[in-house]
Amino acid sequence: MAQKPRVAIFDFTGCEGCELNQLTFEDQLLDILAHVDIGEWREAMDDRVDEYDIAFGEGSLSTPDCIKRLHEVRRKAKVLVALGACAVQGGINGVKNTHPIEEVREEVYGEDKYLFPTLPALPVSAVVKVDHSVRGCPMTQIEFLKVFTALVMGKEPIEPTESVCVECKLNENECVYAKGMICLGPVTRAGCNAHCTNVGQYCTGCRGLVPEPNLEAMREILVSHGLSVDEAWKRLQLYNANELEGLSL
């Protein structure tokens, strides 16, 4: 019998919501554990190993210690997967990058700011090579299972490049722009099956931008519906401050 792939799961700066999402797989969890050996996972166990076939990393990088630990993970892992919005594009933590870092340190730590080294929040790919991504805030379980299954079977996971609008139309949803909502679906990467708009809510952009996002067209949509371009920009920054650097709406 072939040896099971050894898997490790790590967290950096984040809420660990993506890891909690893994612990609530319920019916699928036993199937997952039947196909891999979990070598390291602070959220669920104390064991540590020297190397692993697949490593999943959650959270952005915001301290020198994060950078150091990430390099150690990358050296030990054959495959590295960025898990969730913070790890993939910097996520909500990246909002602090829209302000001077010294102002951020002063606001958060006050007179103790020199005791807490901090950096602009970075995605994992800004420091080391990332092989695959599972997007979302938190990561979607169905997408994790697709990526996990492909890797365990020795196949390459396929990452969507189209926008959430494509999935929305396939699901025959009414466009929430017609309801006066600012929706980021036109420039947000698909893969969630239009989870939010399926229930009548607007897309928050947590999955990151599509390749070469057409922000000019997005602006035209907003203007044509009488919606605030400034408010849309603020919403885009919530998860995508790093990806938006040098761009405008």
Side-chain angles (χ1 to χ4, degrees):
M1 179 180 296
Q3 185 176 359
K4 296 179 182 178
R6 180 171 288 178
V7 172
I9 301 169
F10 299 92
D11 49 80
F12 299 99
T13 303
C15 68
E16 301 186 13
C18 292
E19 292 178 78
L20 290 175
N21 234 7
Q22 292 172 322
L23 288 172
T24 57
F25 269 116
E26 298 178 351
D27 294 341
Q28 298 94 339
L29 187 58
L30 292 179
D31 289 336
I32 291 173
L33 296 178
H35 290 89
V36 299
D37 286 325
I38 305 296
E40 190 168 340
W41 188 1
R42 185 189 60 80
E43 186 86 11
M45 58 191 291
D46 296 326
D47 295 347
R48 294 188 176 185
V49 295
D50 294 329
E51 61 181 24
Y52 11 83
D53 298 294
I54 307 168
F56 292 93
E58 178 195 14
S60 64
L61 313 171
S62 65
T63 68
D65 180 65
C66 287
I67 304 294
K68 178 182 177 182
R69 289 193 296 117
L70 177 60
H71 279 295
E72 292 175 356
V73 171
R74 180 69 269 193
R75 282 195 296 269
K76 295 179 180 180
K78 294 178 182 177
V79 174
L80 177 61
V81 181
L83 194 64
C86 290
V88 175
Q89 71 257 22
I92 289 179
N93 295 326
V95 171
K96 77 174 185 178
N97 300 349
T98 62
H99 305 278
I101 193 66
E102 286 305 312
E103 288 185 12
V104 173
R105 296 177 68 197
E106 180 73 31
E107 179 68 24
V108 176
Y109 302 113
E111 62 182 16
D112 294 326
K113 64 182 180 180
Y114 298 108
L115 300 177
F116 301 95
T118 187
L119 304 169
L122 299 171
V124 173
S125 61
V127 175
V128 298
K129 179 180 181 293
V130 170
D131 300 295
H132 305 287
S133 299
V134 179
R135 296 174 178 267
C137 182
M139 63 104 197
T140 55
Q141 292 184 334
I142 188 170
E143 189 172 19
F144 175 85
L145 288 173
K146 287 180 180 179
V147 172
F148 171 84
T149 301
L151 293 176
V152 169
M153 295 178 65
K155 298 180 179 180
E156 284 289 309
I158 299 175
E159 185 171 22
T161 57
E162 67 271 16
S163 73
V164 171
C165 286
V166 173
E167 293 178 322
C168 212
K169 291 176 180 178
L170 288 172
N171 292 337
E172 299 184 351
N173 295 334
E174 178 185 358
C175 182
V176 296
Y177 271 100
K179 302 177 182 179
M181 296 183 183
I182 296 175
C183 181
L184 305 183
V187 293
T188 297
R189 190 184 293 252
C192 60
N193 192 36
H195 179 79
C196 294
T197 50
N198 284 344
V199 293
Q201 296 298 313
Y202 55 83
C203 171
T204 61
C206 74
R207 296 182 54 79
L209 302 178
V210 294
E212 300 181 7
N214 191 338
L215 294 175
E216 183 177 348
M218 174 80 178
R219 181 186 181 91
E220 291 175 0
I221 294 172
L222 291 163
V223 171
S224 68
H225 286 83
L227 299 171
S228 170
V229 174
D230 288 341
E231 177 61 25
W233 183 252
K234 291 176 183 177
R235 294 187 186 186
L236 277 171
Q237 286 183 313
L238 183 62
Y239 289 101
N240 304 290
N242 286 321
E243 293 187 312
L244 291 169
E245 187 173 354
L247 299 177
S248 62
L249 186 59

